[in-house]
Amino acid sequence: MKLCMIGNRGGHDKHVWDALACLPHVRVVGLAAGAPEDDITPWQRRSDALGFTPEVFTDYRQMLDQLRPDIVTVCGPFELHAEMSAEALRRGSHVFCEKPVALTSEQLAMLRAAYTEAKAQFQGWYAGGLHLATIMNLRYDPAFYTAWRAVRDGAIGTVRLINTQKSYRLGRRDTYYHDRATYGGTIPWIGVHAFDWISWFSDAKFTSVYATHSTQYNHDNGDMEVSALCHFTLTGEVFASASLDFLRPATAPTHGDDRVRVMGTAGAIEVRGGRVYLINAETEGEAELLVACDRQIFPDFVEHIEGKTTAILTSEDVFAVTEACLRARQSADEGCVITFARSNV
């Protein structure tokens, strides 16, 4: 399978590079910078190390037209994710995109239309059908995957309440994080993971959201919000919250502190510090579960295309969670409850 890569922002392209050694039938054939100022020499060095000799392009569209790749990884400027992904889909390529896939509702609608049209046009080209996914790697983290499996297997009964946390060090941020037009906001950037957990663990649909966010104490990082709180209502009167911040001290032992707490009708499960804790009628107090995940995000993506498995992150998941990001950001901007379209409920 031929793989082309666009841009190198966000840092999550490592999930592709790290997996290529175990996917010998996937070859990197083309590289293109997402913007003139982006340096792709690190990608060229990684290609050399893996024995690939990709062509380098200044225009990603020319690369897509000339090489006709099976898979396109999109890690360009955040505000161009939707456009770049749509261009690849229209040429019949599967898309593995940095999150979020869109920064505006208009971009998301355009991308959804492009995906729907391309999926119908190229039906039958690939065993698993045309596929769009985001690099939301935390579904494949052993702790979160273990907790999800336990919830799916009925360990806590019916899910009623979910609390999520994404807390990070701020560190030094590139200038494109300073502008809403090029960053998109902290709710979409880190909230996307938390909202994905909410959707994944609950297996319910978002119906409304009320959110707040603040740029105070962002250390002169322009429009960048460093704290946010979101409250969702989902179908079946499931409630969920997401606490998001870049307030973690520089002296903290890890860059991030990701947590999930899920309350059900028959127990509770919690992920914290890379561990999973369960309380239900069968445990003596709080039981710690053995964490494991037998799947990786990019191999799962490839095997889905090949029809060998069904990926645990679907294209519909991508659209639903991205919409949740944009509506939560709108709620925080406008200071009001935002409801989701009835057709999506």
Side-chain angles (χ1 to χ4, degrees):
M1 302 183 80
K2 295 187 296 182
L3 168 65
C4 285
M5 306 185 73
I6 306 170
N8 61 346
R9 295 191 186 184
H12 294 101
D13 56 284
K14 65 183 179 181
H15 296 286
V16 176
W17 291 110
D18 292 348
L20 286 173
C22 67
L23 296 168
H25 61 302
V26 179
R27 298 176 296 111
V28 179
V29 298
L31 303 173
E37 64 270 21
D38 288 350
D39 178 16
I40 63 168
T41 53
W43 279 7
Q44 291 174 287
R45 288 194 295 268
R46 298 207 68 164
S47 296
D48 290 342
L50 289 167
F52 301 127
T53 54
E55 294 185 58
V56 177
F57 294 79
T58 56
D59 184 339
Y60 78 89
R61 293 181 182 86
Q62 181 184 5
M63 177 178 69
L64 299 180
D65 288 334
Q66 184 171 322
L67 300 181
R68 309 301 293 184
D70 299 291
I71 301 170
V72 176
T73 296
V74 175
C75 294
F78 301 166
E79 72 274 19
L80 296 180
H81 283 175
E83 177 184 319
M84 291 174 167
S85 296
E87 292 285 358
L89 289 167
R90 292 179 184 127
R91 291 164 172 81
S93 299
H94 305 280
V95 174
F96 193 60
C97 183
E98 176 63 278
K99 48 76 181 180
V101 294
L103 296 192
T104 68
S105 297
E106 293 76 16
Q107 289 179 0
L108 184 61
M110 178 276 294
L111 181 59
R112 182 186 282 273
Y115 170 74
T116 301
E117 292 168 9
K119 187 176 181 181
Q121 180 181 352
F122 298 105
Q123 185 177 9
W125 274 36
Y126 304 96
L130 197 63
H131 190 35
L132 165 70
T134 45
I135 312 178
M136 290 197 288
N137 54 294
L138 291 176
R139 282 200 181 198
Y140 297 82
D141 175 89
F144 292 102
Y145 182 78
T146 297
W148 171 73
R149 286 287 299 267
V151 170
R152 189 190 67 173
D153 292 342
I156 63 169
T158 302
V159 173
R160 301 301 303 145
L161 184 69
I162 303 174
N163 302 117
T164 66
Q165 173 185 296
K166 297 284 295 179
S167 180
Y168 288 107
R169 297 170 178 158
L170 181 59
R172 294 178 61 87
R173 296 282 159 171
D174 290 311
T175 55
Y176 54 81
Y177 283 89
H178 301 174
D179 189 339
R180 169 68 69 84
T182 54
Y183 172 46
T186 292
I187 287 178
W189 176 240
I190 64 173
V192 66
H193 288 295
F195 304 166
D196 186 48
W197 290 330
I198 290 168
S199 175
W200 193 37
F201 278 94
S202 69
D203 196 27
K205 295 184 178 182
F206 298 102
T207 62
S208 68
V209 60
Y210 179 73
T212 52
H213 57 189
S214 175
T215 60
Q216 290 193 38
Y217 304 102
N218 74 353
H219 299 282
D220 298 318
N221 277 287
D223 296 340
M224 186 181 187
E225 303 91 359
V226 293
S227 58
L229 197 63
C230 309
H231 176 278
F232 289 97
T233 298
L234 295 93
T235 51
E237 296 184 358
V238 175
F239 303 137
S241 69
S243 173
L244 316 170
D245 71 78
F246 280 109
L247 297 170
R248 191 162 168 78
T251 54
T254 59
H255 174 59
D257 182 8
D258 296 340
R259 305 185 185 199
V260 169
R261 173 178 172 268
V262 186
M263 300 299 298
T265 56
I269 200 162
E270 187 171 355
V271 179
R272 61 180 187 271
R275 297 183 175 183
V276 181
Y277 303 94
L278 172 67
I279 303 173
N280 63 16
E282 298 176 5
T283 64
E284 287 289 339
E286 187 177 67
E288 184 174 349
L289 304 185
L290 179 66
V291 302
C293 180
D294 57 356
R295 307 171 81 156
Q296 297 178 51
I297 186 169
F298 189 63
D300 206 38
F301 178 88
V302 172
E303 290 178 2
H304 178 96
I305 292 167
E306 296 172 327
K308 295 178 180 178
T309 188
T310 299
I312 60 173
L313 178 64
T314 69
S315 301
E316 282 307 312
D317 292 333
V318 170
F319 289 120
V321 172
T322 306
E323 181 185 6
C325 290
L326 300 179
R327 290 184 182 272
R329 187 186 66 189
Q330 179 187 357
S331 172
D333 285 344
E334 298 178 1
C336 63
V337 174
I338 299 295
T339 58
F340 287 65
R342 185 174 296 274
S343 60
N344 295 332
V345 175

